[in-house]
Amino acid sequence: MLNYADFELTTQLPSYAKLQALYDSKGKSFDVSEAFKADSERYQKLSKTFTNYDGSEILFDFSKNLVDDSIMKELYLLAREAGVEKLRDAMFAGDHINYTEDRAVFHVALRNRALKEMKADGINTAPEVDSVLQHMKEFSEEIRSGSWKGYTGKAITDIVNIGIGGSDLGPVMVTEALKHYAQPGLFVHFVSNIDGTHLAETLRGLNPETTLFLVASKTFTTAETTTNANSAKSWFLESAKDSAHIAKHFAALSTNADEVAKFGIDTKNMFPFDNWVGGRYSVWSAIGLSVALYIGFDNFEAFLKGAEAVDNHFLSTPLEENIPVLGALLSVWYNNFHGAQTHLVAPFDQYLHRFAAYLQQLSMESNGKSVTRGDKFTNYQTGTILFGEPCTNAQHSFFQLVHQGTKLIPADFILAAQSHNPIQNNLHQKMLASNFFAQAEALMVGKNEDQVKSEGATGGLVPHKVFSGNRPTTSILAQKITPSTLGALIAYYEHLTFVEGAIWNINSFDQWGVELGKVLAKAIVSQLNDNAQVGNHDPSTNALINQFKKWSL
């Protein structure tokens, strides 16, 4: 077991001081265009191709970033001094690297389709994980084939996943991203918000006779999820009448058999997952049942295998050739030395329109920490603010700030060479691709004053048309967004996030920051059930609660 007290503040590592010196001497004035002129092999050095288990490839081009050989050499040294390799190996060994909750971090075991021995707490997880997957396969095939009948003998047409956080964000993103693989006539819906509008609008137009609910809560006590689930049950029973029919229309993604049974769900339709599965990593587990139902189990397994292939790469590849490590080191370089506070992820793919939202939880819940594994407050920046929207829409909103604003915003651009919908002889995809290439090039090369003047601009208009350029991007080019490709992309960002946290010496796997608001909300909700004025909060909160009570009665 690792002794986390042995891990130093990142700023105390020898390579950190050397990197600061490199930034001061040339990093702050680094010119990417000049770097390409000075090094004819720059692209070859800073681009990596990942080959998936099915032979498909993903190209990661890091060459437009503000680094050279000397900077990268020190960044790799920083990773070694921070113990990235030791922590990585400990995670794959099932050690309790989530030490504040005394748990293993073992989502990698969920995609262990090679069924190799992977132990957590002395138990080989492979048989149990595979057993749940086989249960998911059997259940999904019954639903998709129509052999599973509702209480009136009709096949299921609509699936409603009720969850929150990782129990919602992951399945929503993946089902949207892989919509091309969906079975015609089978529809999937998601309810997460405790706002009754979310449930009401989702249920509007659905038929209780053909609707299946998946209640996603490990403990089956999550307040938002159980409230939504009970309201969905009431809606269902208005038509079904007999509570015995719940067993044919509700399944549980949970480990709490007592609460599941109390709700009315047949525990045969309960799909468990272990406590070493963090919420933001749970789409690979039983929480992914909605995905398996929607795209079919074979495609879901390909999704797992794509992630497994990246796991193997991350675990066995030297740091200098390790793709997630390189992505993470660039993030640290911008965050801690260039002072960049944000990171843009812009997929040039409409199917990936929820990808950035998914990555927001992965990144900001993982690394939004200010205390080290040695229980000290950091004296340096940690997690970045991740944001993004699909392009080309995003180009007409916040790209103005990316190009000409005062902030440095490193960006990842993602594109598939092949579209699932090659409309008009692939015209749309070619236009999309042209923007993918042009945006990254424009951010790098910019446009200087002489160029602006040569195009006819004069006087005070000239500075408004100048683009500084030298703004870093990473281009990720896949052959096609298939289940295996999507699995690989998610795993890339998971391991990138892990390496960031390892270098920053923080625990990327707890989330105490979400607890305080929940505790206070639980106390306040009881105060909203009567007409009495409240006065036990701060003056602003007292006034807001009292006004709400006045207006809502």
Side-chain angles (χ1 to χ4, degrees), residues 328-374:
L329 291 175
L330 291 170
S331 176
V332 171
W333 176 237
Y334 295 128
N335 186 322
N336 296 91
F337 299 95
H338 284 269
Q341 295 183 321
T342 60
H343 189 97
L344 165 63
V345 177
F348 286 69
D349 191 308
Q350 187 58 31
Y351 281 128
L352 293 178
H353 70 103
R354 296 296 293 163
F355 193 62
Y358 174 78
L359 294 183
Q360 283 177 335
Q361 186 197 25
L362 172 64
S363 176
M364 292 196 282
E365 192 169 81
S366 294
N367 289 339
K369 315 287 172 60
S370 56
V371 177
T372 70
R373 289 188 298 261

Side-chain angles (χ1 to χ4, degrees), residues 209-259:
E209 299 175 53
T210 59
T211 300
L212 172 71
F213 293 93
L214 306 178
V215 184
S217 172
K218 185 185 296 184
T219 62
F220 220 77
T221 58
T222 309
E224 297 94 336
T225 300
T226 54
T227 299
N228 279 327
N230 278 298
S231 296
K233 181 168 72 171
S234 297
W235 172 84
F236 172 74
L237 290 175
E238 284 178 13
S239 297
K241 308 301 181 186
D242 188 348
S243 60
H245 295 319
I246 291 171
K248 299 298 291 182
H249 290 266
F250 284 79
L253 317 179
S254 178
T255 56
N256 192 336
D258 290 342
E259 288 298 321

Side-chain angles (χ1 to χ4, degrees), residues 137-388:
K137 178 180 181 180
E138 178 186 29
F139 186 76
S140 62
E141 288 177 349
E142 282 191 79
I143 298 294
R144 288 168 61 83
S145 69
S147 62
W148 180 285
K149 305 295 184 185
Y151 74 96
T152 61
K154 296 179 181 178
I156 298 298
T157 59
D158 291 271
I159 298 150
V160 180
N161 187 92
I162 300 176
I164 198 166
S167 299
D168 173 78
L169 284 166
V172 168
M173 183 274 289
V174 175
T175 53
E176 285 296 306
L178 300 178
K179 184 178 286 187
H180 176 79
Y181 297 87
Q183 177 170 298
L186 188 62
F187 305 95
V188 64
H189 316 268
F190 295 88
V191 174
S192 58
N193 202 331
I194 195 60
D195 183 346
T197 298
H198 201 181
L199 181 65
E201 289 294 338
T202 300
L203 297 180
R204 197 184 309 279
L206 296 187
N207 181 356
E209 299 175 53
T210 59
T211 300
L212 172 71
F213 293 93
L214 306 178
V215 184
S217 172
K218 185 185 296 184
T219 62
F220 220 77
T221 58
T222 309
E224 297 94 336
T225 300
T226 54
T227 299
N228 279 327
N230 278 298
S231 296
K233 181 168 72 171
S234 297
W235 172 84
F236 172 74
L237 290 175
E238 284 178 13
S239 297
K241 308 301 181 186
D242 188 348
S243 60
H245 295 319
I246 291 171
K248 299 298 291 182
H249 290 266
F250 284 79
L253 317 179
S254 178
T255 56
N256 192 336
D258 290 342
E259 288 298 321
V260 167
K262 191 184 299 183
F263 184 91
I265 296 174
D266 188 341
T267 52
K268 292 179 182 177
N269 302 324
M270 186 177 87
F271 298 82
F273 50 102
D274 278 284
N275 69 357
W276 40 255
V277 181
R280 52 195 174 277
Y281 303 94
S282 62
V283 71
W284 316 103
S285 72
I287 293 296
L289 181 59
S290 58
V291 179
L293 288 164
Y294 192 52
I295 67 172
F297 186 82
D298 288 348
N299 284 321
F300 183 72
E301 187 161 47
F303 172 66
L304 298 178
K305 288 181 176 179
E308 181 185 29
V310 172
D311 294 342
N312 292 335
H313 168 87
F314 179 58
L315 181 61
S316 62
T317 305
L319 295 188
E320 287 77 7
E321 299 299 322
N322 201 304
I323 298 172
V325 171
L326 179 47
L329 291 175
L330 291 170
S331 176
V332 171
W333 176 237
Y334 295 128
N335 186 322
N336 296 91
F337 299 95
H338 284 269
Q341 295 183 321
T342 60
H343 189 97
L344 165 63
V345 177
F348 286 69
D349 191 308
Q350 187 58 31
Y351 281 128
L352 293 178
H353 70 103
R354 296 296 293 163
F355 193 62
Y358 174 78
L359 294 183
Q360 283 177 335
Q361 186 197 25
L362 172 64
S363 176
M364 292 196 282
E365 192 169 81
S366 294
N367 289 339
K369 315 287 172 60
S370 56
V371 177
T372 70
R373 289 188 298 261
D375 307 324
K376 299 175 183 176
F377 283 97
T378 66
N379 59 359
Y380 47 86
Q381 292 293 310
T382 58
T384 56
I385 302 165
L386 190 147
F387 74 105

Side-chain angles (χ1 to χ4, degrees), residues 456-476:
T458 59
L461 187 59
V462 172
H464 294 277
K465 290 195 169 187
V466 168
F467 291 74
S468 65
N470 210 44
R471 303 198 174 205
T473 58
T474 295
S475 297
I476 301 173

